[in-house]
Every structure is written in C-alpha cells, then in structure tokens.
Amino acid sequence: AGAPAKLLLLRESLGEESGWKQLPAGGAFVRGTLKNFNTVEEFRGFLTGGDRTALVSETLNTLRGHIKSGAVLDEPLLLRPVHIVAFADLKKYQFAYTVALPVLTPRTSWTNYARPCVVAETSIDRACLDMVSRRLLDDSALARAGCFLLVRATASA
C-alpha cells in the first residue's frame, strides 16, 4: 500500500524528532510504539489473545479519525503508524517480535482517468519541476510528509 519494502531502525530512530537531520534516500518517517514483554508467556498471550487485534483496530480507528478531522494535512506522519511488539530473552540470546503497519486501503482499485504522459507533454516545464524538487529537499516538514503526487488542475495550468 505504498510503504517501503523495508523498515530500518537506525540509532537516531529512537531519539527526539528534532534530532533527525536528514531522511535517508528512499526512507520515510514513521511514528509508533514499541512494547517489550518480560516473559515469553506474556508475549504469546498478547499474540494469541484479543490484545493484538484490539491494538490494530484502535490504531485504524485513530487513523480514520485523523483523516476525517483533517489532522493529517498538518502532520502527514499520522498516516504511517507502526507498532512493534517484542520479547527478548537476554540470557539465551533469543528474540521474537512482530511488526504492524496498519493502513487504510480503498475497497476498489485506483482508476486512471487519463493516460500517463511524459514531462514534455504535461506543460510543466523543467524549471518548475526543479523548483519543486529543491523545495522538497530543503523543507524538512515536506520531507517528513513522505510521498507526493503532482497534479495538474487543468490542461492550461
């Protein structure tokens, strides 16, 4: 659903957002929770009981609420919640974890209303695309937003 194929947690990932200087190429910021259990029984209980389903349902309801309220327009990071549930047996060096990246998906597939076209056919000149590209690189708030779609309102725009 548009998410990167890999989720990498860097040393800086666990610090304050203000410490994030630059997003790695192809990266996307995510915000979420890390829940670590002390015993394997608690971990298994979470996975097999209703707690995991409840966490995902609660996250989806929150995500839907952020979209309906318009909060995602001010903070696009709200569109990418992540939950990591883990157990670490430090004596035996055994680790178990599960990761949830809940997303809302449309019931029907996307519809193309026009054929894709090359830049030369869009009437958006190279200078405009360069300006948009530089703005995305320079503005950290836009970089945190993640994915962008450039849309031409009319054929003359």
Side-chain angles (χ1 to χ4, degrees):
K6 296 179 182 179
L7 176 67
L8 302 174
L9 295 176
L10 306 175
R11 177 178 48 219
E12 298 82 11
S13 299
L14 302 176
E16 294 294 318
E17 284 184 45
S18 60
W20 297 340
K21 300 294 183 211
Q22 188 171 351
L23 189 63
F29 287 112
V30 294
R31 180 183 296 151
T33 60
L34 168 62
K35 183 173 181 77
N36 190 48
F37 288 98
N38 291 325
T39 67
V40 70
E41 290 79 17
E42 289 176 330
F43 178 69
R44 285 186 187 140
F46 179 86
L47 295 179
T48 58
D51 294 339
R52 177 169 67 172
T53 303
L55 176 66
V56 172
S57 294
E58 178 186 335
T59 302
L60 289 173
N61 288 333
T62 302
L63 179 58
R64 188 176 290 114
H66 289 318
I67 291 169
K68 286 183 175 182
S69 72
V72 295
L73 297 174
D74 295 325
E75 192 172 0
L77 191 57
L78 295 172
L79 289 171
R80 292 185 298 274
V82 62
H83 297 290
I84 302 172
V85 180
F87 165 72
D89 184 341
L90 299 177
K91 292 179 181 175
K92 297 180 183 175
Y93 298 103
Q94 294 178 341
F95 304 91
Y97 62 91
T98 184
V99 178
L101 295 148
V103 295
L104 298 175
T105 58
R107 289 197 173 127
T108 59
S109 184
W110 293 93
T111 302
N112 289 330
Y113 292 101
R115 66 175 181 76
C117 54
V118 296
V119 174
E121 297 174 1
T122 64
S123 72
I124 300 173
D125 62 1
R126 179 65 63 188
C128 179
L129 289 175
D130 287 342
M131 184 270 307
V132 170
S133 177
R134 275 193 302 283
R135 176 90 192 275
L136 292 174
L137 289 173
D138 294 341
D139 190 330
S140 61
L142 286 175
R144 282 194 301 274
C147 154
F148 300 92
L149 177 64
L150 188 58
V151 177
R152 180 179 55 176
T154 64
S156 61

